[in-house]
Amino acid sequence: MNDTTSPVLVADNITVRYRKGRRHFTALDNVSVRIPHGTTVGLVGESGSGKSTLAKAILGLVPVTTGRVELLGEDITHLTGRRRRELGRSIQAVFQDPNTSLNPSFTIRRSLIEPLKAQNMLGGIDVDGRVAEVLTAVGMEPDAAFRRPRQFSGGQRQRISIARALITNPQVVVCDEAVSALDLSVQAQVLNLLTDLQRERGLSYLFISHDMSVVKHICHEVTVLYRGVIKESGATRLVTTQPVDPYTRALLLAAPIADPAMQRQRQRPTTAGAAT
Ligand code: ADP
Ligand code: MG
């Protein structure tokens, strides 16, 4: 985690403007994030702050107006074609809604091997071996491959979405609200799984959430985004215990606290903080 480690992913001064009819809307204004190898960097902010836009800019799904995206030391900002596809193996994503990665009418196997197809990786590998390996890695039985999404709970579907992200052996996984739709106890299990996978595989995560309490659990560093602008960033412990920006304090106050004693303490007027 120290600064001399070369980062696996760098987003440098990213600005994204969307066209809205004849007008432009700046969804991200000079946003920079760097992810050191093997770490989890959080991106937190309320709905509409631009989190998914940054995820999409990094994944090459929306064009960057200005700025630079670097993956494993290579500038991929405007990269297309074969090289982009090759590098795409190194970065995968998990989204909030498993329906975006698991087609309800496909078997799990068919959805799992889609990234392999997209990356031209089906030839010369033991596809079913790989499917079984990633399912096992996320705590599922290999025969899940032959069932369909509706036969699984929300938590299991999200595990399968993670398996799908792992199948190309990526180094970076972008998790965009990956646990946000899950119940608290299931959230905790999936967060533990992500942490275990990071340790076992040396994965790096860009972990996006609107929920500070989730970010606190899993992220080494955190960047706070508000209306497309970075308000604060740094080591999670520092940002969450000594926030300098009123918006960060407001986010911390909005985060649900599992411990009832802490909850009571937070409700005392003296500890409520300046921000609302
Ligand atoms: P978040 O993920 O933090 O909720 P988004 O990145 O999805 O935020 O959206 C940031 C802002 O950009 C919002 O105001 C949203 O309405 C706007 N936006 C997102 N996608 C588009 C688009 N394709 N065209 C125009 N505006 C968009
Ligand atoms: Mg979003």
Side-chain angles (χ1 to χ4, degrees):
M1 255 212 295
N2 66 46
D3 240 43
T4 55
T5 325
S6 64
V8 287
L9 184 80
V10 177
D12 198 22
N13 282 310
I14 303 289
T15 294
V16 173
R17 289 197 190 94
Y18 290 119
R19 274 191 82 111
K20 284 196 169 170
R22 291 178 58 208
R23 298 173 57 185
H24 288 269
F25 170 75
T26 304
L28 286 179
D29 190 3
N30 264 303
V31 169
S32 299
V33 171
R34 69 197 293 283
I35 308 184
H37 178 262
T39 70
T40 304
V41 173
L43 185 65
V44 64
E46 67 195 285
S47 174
S49 54
K51 305 181 299 295
S52 294
T53 298
L54 183 63
K56 289 177 195 160
I58 287 170
L59 294 163
L61 302 173
V62 304
V64 167
T65 310
T66 60
R68 177 184 164 94
V69 181
E70 228 177 69
L71 178 66
L72 306 172
E74 186 164 342
D75 185 349
I76 60 164
T77 324
H78 305 290
L79 201 63
T80 51
R82 207 176 104 202
R83 187 73 191 128
R84 168 91 220 184
R85 204 167 56 224
E86 278 168 14
L87 276 169
R89 296 174 187 179
S90 306
I91 184 163
Q92 292 287 337
V94 180
F95 297 100
Q96 172 167 358
D97 177 9
N99 286 335
T100 56
S101 48
L102 308 178
N103 187 322
S105 61
F106 289 0
T107 61
I108 299 302
R109 180 186 185 279
R110 183 161 170 199
S111 287
L112 285 178
I113 67 173
E114 268 186 342
L116 293 176
K117 271 191 201 154
Q119 306 291 337
N120 265 342
M121 292 171 75
L122 279 175
I125 64 161
D126 171 11
V127 174
D128 287 300
R130 187 76 74 94
V131 165
E133 191 264 321
V134 291
L135 283 171
T136 310
V138 300
M140 303 290 294
E141 296 292 334
D143 67 7
F146 306 104
R147 295 158 71 185
R148 281 170 218 276
R150 66 171 175 276
Q151 294 174 269
F152 297 99
S153 67
Q156 287 171 323
R157 282 202 288 265
Q158 216 47 335
R159 282 175 189 270
I160 297 166
S161 300
I162 295 168
R164 184 178 186 269
L166 295 179
I167 203 153
T168 63
N169 263 329
Q171 305 204 32
V172 186
V173 180
V174 175
C175 303
D176 189 356
E177 305 275 9
V179 301
S180 303
L182 306 174
D183 292 343
L184 279 184
S185 63
V186 183
Q187 262 189 17
Q189 290 164 14
V190 175
L191 292 175
N192 286 340
L193 170 65
L194 289 172
T195 309
D196 291 346
L197 291 169
Q198 177 166 68
R199 205 177 42 242
E200 290 158 15
R201 295 167 184 248
L203 290 173
S204 309
Y205 297 122
L206 176 62
F207 188 87
I208 296 175
S209 177
H210 65 279
D211 185 345
M212 222 14 151
S213 63
V214 173
V215 166
K216 251 198 303 207
H217 259 91
I218 187 162
C219 298
H220 301 100
E221 292 170 27
V222 58
T223 291
V224 179
L225 199 61
Y226 176 70
R227 295 194 179 176
V229 176
I230 292 184
K231 284 289 175 185
E232 184 161 1
S233 69
T236 307
R237 187 174 310 207
L238 210 59
V239 172
T240 56
T241 57
Q242 297 167 45
V244 292
D245 195 275
Y247 180 66
T248 311
R249 273 180 250 146
L251 278 182
L252 284 161
L253 288 167
I257 291 182
D259 179 352
M262 275 186 70
Q263 183 82 49
R264 273 196 301 281
Q265 195 182 10
R266 192 168 70 178
Q267 282 162 357
R268 282 184 209 149
T270 49
T271 55
T276 49

